């Protein structure tokens, strides 16, 4: 990052890597790793810490302007990256924060290509005939789309030669992906996961879940900005075909990880917008209910699993001693998750709908 030859730094670190407080949508200053980076940047612990440490060295070396490009599934990811970097930089030096403002840009982007995580056994299974193991192996779908805000502080690499589209604002592309593709993935992960389904392609083959996706998309579509160039039917039909690809082996459990970091931009914000217009959202509510029930760590059939989430300990403490059919335990769980707590506080009617959705799903659990 400090090298004057470096023009562009890209981030693909998942939502959790930005160390955002889900309540304030700002840098989580209570995070122990962020606190360590606030004290000392010689050995950064976080991606944001590495960025600030590198930019600090660049400032000290009178380096040229640089662009930091977020490629993760976060609303306004460029703005959020800039905000977290400036917050941490100001903890060390106002001069550094000012230098970053003047010499670094943080364009937003939307990257769309399904590339499931590779478990270790997959690396072993795909050994080269020469008995070599490729530790950089990745399996992806054929489809790909990359849209970037044209906001570069230094030289812009000719990424358009590889199919990248540069635009003035990525907001429309970002919203479509988060609220249609990513929200659908989360819905399949929690509802399908509770049904003991392993892969995305198996989930969309079930009428119950494909119908759920169609209902979800109907709810989400009226939260998107009007765009004459966008055909929602074509887009959603393409999503179903992509999800049905049996060769990707996209695990629902992988998608279900870090739900507390993913759900605000995928489900909670569009649901909040619908509530503001007096619209009921039974499918979005069902997905949130499934996520709540997921925190107990067993499927409908009783199979146990580990809840993988940065707030898992908080959620486990909230439901300790209470069952899924325990209204008090569910209320404590909602109270432990700030974005959902705020949504219930803003709409008493939604709170009742969420409880009803939880009760409907809880009836399917093996007793």
């Amino acid at each position: 990052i400090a090298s004057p030859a470096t023009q562009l730094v890209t981030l693909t670190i998942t939502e959790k890597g930005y160390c955002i407080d889900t309540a304030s949508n700002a840098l989580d200053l209570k995070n122990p790793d962020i606190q360590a980076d606030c004290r000392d940047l010689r050995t950064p612990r976080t991606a944001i810490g590495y960025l600030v440490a590198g930019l600090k060295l660049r400032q000290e070396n009178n380096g040229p302007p640089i662009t930091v490009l977020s490629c993760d599934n976060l609303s306004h990811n460029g703005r959020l990256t800039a905000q977290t970097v400036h917050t941490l930089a100001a903890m060390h030096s106002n001069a550094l924060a000012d230098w970053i403002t003047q010499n670094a840009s943080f364009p937003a982007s939307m990257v769309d290509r399904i590339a499931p995580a590779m478990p270790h056994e997959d690396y072993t299974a795909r050994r080269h005939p020469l008995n070599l193991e490729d530790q950089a192996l990745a399996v992806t779908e054929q489809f790909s789309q990359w849209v970037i805000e044209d906001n570069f502080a230094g030289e812009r690499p000719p990424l358009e030669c590889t199919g990248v589209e540069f635009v003035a604002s990525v907001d429309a592309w970002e919203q479509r992906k988060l609220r249609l593709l990513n929200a659908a993935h989360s819905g399949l992960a929690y509802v399908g996961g509770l049904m003991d389904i392993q892969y995305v392609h198996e989930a969309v083959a079930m009428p119950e879940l494909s119908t759920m996706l169609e209902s979800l998309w109907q709810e989400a579509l009226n939260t998107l900005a009007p765009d004459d160039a966008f055909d929602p039917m074509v887009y959603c039909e393409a999503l179903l075909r992509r999800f049905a690809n049996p060769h990707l082996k996209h695990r629902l459990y992988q998608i279900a990880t870090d739900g507390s970091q993913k759900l605000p931009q995928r489900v909670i914000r569009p649901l909040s917008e619908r509530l503001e217009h007096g619209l009921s959202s039974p499918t979005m509510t069902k997905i949130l209910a499934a996520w709540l029930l997921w925190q107990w760590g067993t499927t409908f059939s009783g199979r146990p699993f580990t809840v993988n989430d940065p707030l898992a300990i908080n959620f486990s403490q909230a439901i300790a001693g209470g069952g899924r059919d325990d209204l008090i335990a569910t209320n404590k769980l909602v109270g432990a998750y700030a974005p959902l707590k705020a949504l219930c506080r803003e709409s008493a009617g939604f709170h009742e709908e969420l409880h009803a959705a939880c009760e409907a799903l809880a009836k399917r659990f093996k007793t």
Side-chain angles (χ1 to χ4, degrees):
I1 298 171
S3 168
T6 301
Q7 299 276 0
L8 175 66
V9 177
T10 65
L11 300 176
T12 308
I13 57 176
T14 78
E15 297 91 339
K16 182 169 58 177
Y18 291 80
C19 303
I20 298 297
D21 178 0
T22 55
S24 64
N25 207 35
L27 188 66
D28 185 2
L29 297 177
K30 295 180 181 178
N31 182 309
D33 291 330
I34 290 294
Q35 290 177 343
D37 286 347
C38 285
R39 292 190 297 269
D40 189 351
L41 285 174
R42 287 175 294 181
T43 54
R45 294 192 188 181
T46 67
I48 305 305
Y50 272 102
L51 281 174
V52 174
L55 292 170
K56 183 173 184 292
L57 288 173
R58 197 175 181 94
Q59 175 204 23
E60 293 169 354
N61 295 333
N62 294 315
I66 189 170
T67 301
V68 179
L69 175 63
S70 170
C71 302
D72 288 296
N73 287 326
L74 290 163
S75 294
H76 308 294
N77 51 14
R79 187 189 312 164
L80 199 63
T81 307
Q83 173 188 308
T84 55
V85 166
H86 280 98
T87 299
L88 183 56
M91 295 288 179
H92 293 272
S93 163
N94 287 329
L96 172 60
D98 292 341
W99 184 90
I100 291 172
T101 298
Q102 296 167 14
N103 293 276
S105 67
F106 298 83
S109 75
M110 187 287 297
V111 184
D112 185 2
R113 192 174 202 184
I114 299 172
M118 291 285 292
H120 180 73
E121 58 268 23
D122 282 7
Y123 287 105
T124 305
R126 290 173 169 82
R127 278 184 179 273
H128 190 274
L130 295 179
N131 201 33
L132 299 175
E133 186 172 303
D134 182 0
Q135 288 294 330
L137 185 66
V139 174
T140 72
E141 63 175 339
Q142 187 173 16
F143 177 90
S144 67
Q145 186 181 35
W146 195 4
V147 182
I148 302 176
E149 178 188 3
D150 194 357
N151 174 26
F152 283 68
E155 182 180 345
R156 193 186 83 182
L159 295 174
E160 63 272 15
C161 296
T162 65
V164 170
E165 185 175 358
F166 290 102
V167 298
S169 171
V170 303
D171 288 356
W173 283 271
E174 170 195 279
Q175 277 204 350
R176 288 197 287 264
K177 190 200 174 193
L178 287 170
R179 299 184 179 195
L180 298 176
L181 188 158
N182 296 129
H185 264 164
S186 290
L188 293 175
Y190 298 117
V191 181
L194 290 174
M195 296 168 66
D196 287 291
I197 301 171
Q198 188 173 6
Y199 297 112
V200 169
H201 70 274
E202 295 172 338
V204 295
M206 298 191 63
E208 176 185 348
L209 295 180
S210 62
T211 299
M212 179 187 76
L213 293 191
E214 291 170 1
S215 299
L216 169 67
W217 291 332
Q218 287 301 314
E219 292 177 8
L221 283 172
N222 73 353
T223 71
L224 302 179
D227 185 349
D228 293 337
F230 174 61
D231 188 327
M233 184 174 295
V234 171
Y235 185 90
C236 293
E237 287 177 351
L239 286 183
L240 282 177
R241 289 194 299 272
R242 292 168 64 189
F243 291 169
N245 184 345
H247 304 291
L248 282 177
K249 304 286 186 189
H250 200 180
R251 291 170 171 82
L252 295 181
Y253 181 77
Q254 175 203 332
I255 299 169
T257 62
D258 302 338
S260 67
Q261 311 300 298
K262 298 173 179 177
L263 287 174
Q265 53 265 22
R266 298 183 180 194
V267 179
I268 293 176
R269 286 182 195 140
L271 176 53
S272 176
E273 291 169 16
R274 287 179 59 84
L275 287 171
E276 288 174 6
H277 290 88
L279 299 172
S280 172
S281 308
T283 307
M284 291 182 182
T285 304
K286 178 179 180 178
I287 292 170
L288 292 178
W291 175 77
L292 287 172
L293 299 181
W294 183 265
Q295 306 313 311
W296 270 266
T298 61
T299 63
F300 288 147
S301 69
R303 181 181 63 82
F305 59 83
T306 300
V307 177
N308 191 344
D309 193 285
L311 298 181
I313 294 177
N314 305 57
F315 298 152
S316 177
Q317 292 172 345
I319 61 177
R324 291 182 181 86
D325 56 352
D326 184 340
L327 190 61
I328 295 176
T330 304
N331 281 335
K332 287 182 178 178
L333 182 54
V334 170
Y337 184 44
L340 198 51
K341 179 182 178 182
L343 196 59
C344 290
R345 185 174 60 244
E346 294 164 6
S347 174
F350 170 72
H351 202 172
E352 297 304 317
E353 292 175 11
L354 183 61
H355 277 307
C358 286
E359 290 175 357
L361 283 171
K363 292 177 181 177
R364 300 178 63 168
F365 283 91
K366 180 180 179 181
T367 55

